[in-house]
Amino acid sequence: PTTVTVPATGLVLLVGVSGSGKSTFAREHFHPTEVVSSDACRAMVSGDEGDQDATADAFDLLEHWVGIRLRRGLLTVVDATNVQQRARASLVALAKRHHVLVDALVLDVGESTAAARNEARPERDFGAHVVRRQQRDLDRSRRGLRKEGFRRVHVLGPAELAAGVTIVRER
Ligand code: GTP
Ligand code: MG
């Protein structure tokens, strides 16, 4: 299995299109309280985790929640697509403000796999164009990702994900 080391008291950004398996991966590898998801934040500010009109307020809440955890020295995993550079930049800046390390963990299963999985999800009723746009954002991000301030950028493709991943918390 692939070993992924993450900062024990820092921040981890999951990065991947809808359907790439971020929430599943987070459930499998981290404690529920370590995971801060944009869906949970949307639900808390609007009553509906699919409410796209609540996005700005949801991310306000997300950053506030993450900031408190980082100040308290707690490992925090952000479960959001994070495919746009702007979205990552504000979280990297948040980690810097709290003097903690930040890693990116890219789940890279490919657009067709992600879109096919979403087809089977009643809670994701958007069309394939949404994943296509996210995939384009991710592809644009690849080259510069390592220069955005991450300590490490881990990229897990279908083979690594299928073979299994071990998370090591590094102090
Ligand atoms: P969004 O929240 O929409 O951004 O998606 P996500 O990246 O959180 O994906 P999620 O973990 O919800 O997984 C999407 C679907 O794919 C779910 O139905 C999962 O059960 C399925 N899935 C996740 N990981 C895997 C995997 O490794 N293999 C297979 N076969 N299915 C998976
Ligand atoms: Mg999810």
Side-chain angles (χ1 to χ4, degrees):
T2 308
T3 297
V4 172
T5 64
V6 298
T9 60
L11 185 63
V12 178
L13 302 195
L14 298 181
V15 178
V17 302
S18 176
S20 61
K22 300 177 297 295
S23 301
T24 304
F25 186 92
R27 248 192 317 277
E28 193 176 337
H29 294 284
F30 297 97
H31 191 272
T33 61
E34 291 174 332
V35 181
V36 173
S37 83
S38 52
D39 279 348
C41 291
R42 262 198 204 93
M44 279 188 274
V45 301
S46 75
D48 172 7
E49 69 167 51
D51 186 349
Q52 300 304 316
D53 292 342
T55 296
D57 283 334
F59 279 89
D60 266 5
L61 174 60
L62 185 140
E63 292 201 9
H64 190 64
W65 184 356
V66 169
I68 290 170
R69 290 184 54 85
L70 297 183
R71 172 165 58 73
R72 297 175 64 89
L74 299 169
L75 172 67
T76 303
V77 178
V78 176
D79 176 7
T81 57
N82 292 315
V83 289
Q84 293 186 353
Q85 198 264 331
R86 201 171 36 139
R88 294 187 299 273
S90 55
L91 293 166
V92 169
L94 189 60
K96 305 269 147 175
R97 282 205 295 283
H98 289 87
H99 309 288
V100 300
L101 297 170
V102 50
D103 281 9
L105 208 170
V106 183
L107 301 187
D108 193 13
V109 301
E111 185 182 326
S112 55
T113 297
R117 288 181 189 165
N118 285 339
E119 286 278 316
R121 300 170 73 194
E123 79 280 14
R124 292 289 185 273
D125 58 358
F126 48 66
H129 67 282
V130 172
V131 174
R132 194 174 316 129
R133 175 161 29 82
Q134 293 172 346
Q135 185 70 45
R136 200 189 53 206
D137 288 337
L138 178 60
D139 289 339
R140 278 193 190 133
S141 298
R142 269 174 223 283
R143 192 200 291 265
L145 201 53
R146 287 172 201 281
K147 293 190 177 153
E148 290 180 16
F150 297 107
R151 177 195 65 160
R152 290 199 181 103
V153 176
H154 315 275
V155 180
L156 301 176
E160 288 84 16
L161 289 163
V165 173
T166 305
I167 302 285
V168 174
R169 290 146 193 256
E170 195 174 62
R171 291 208 171 262

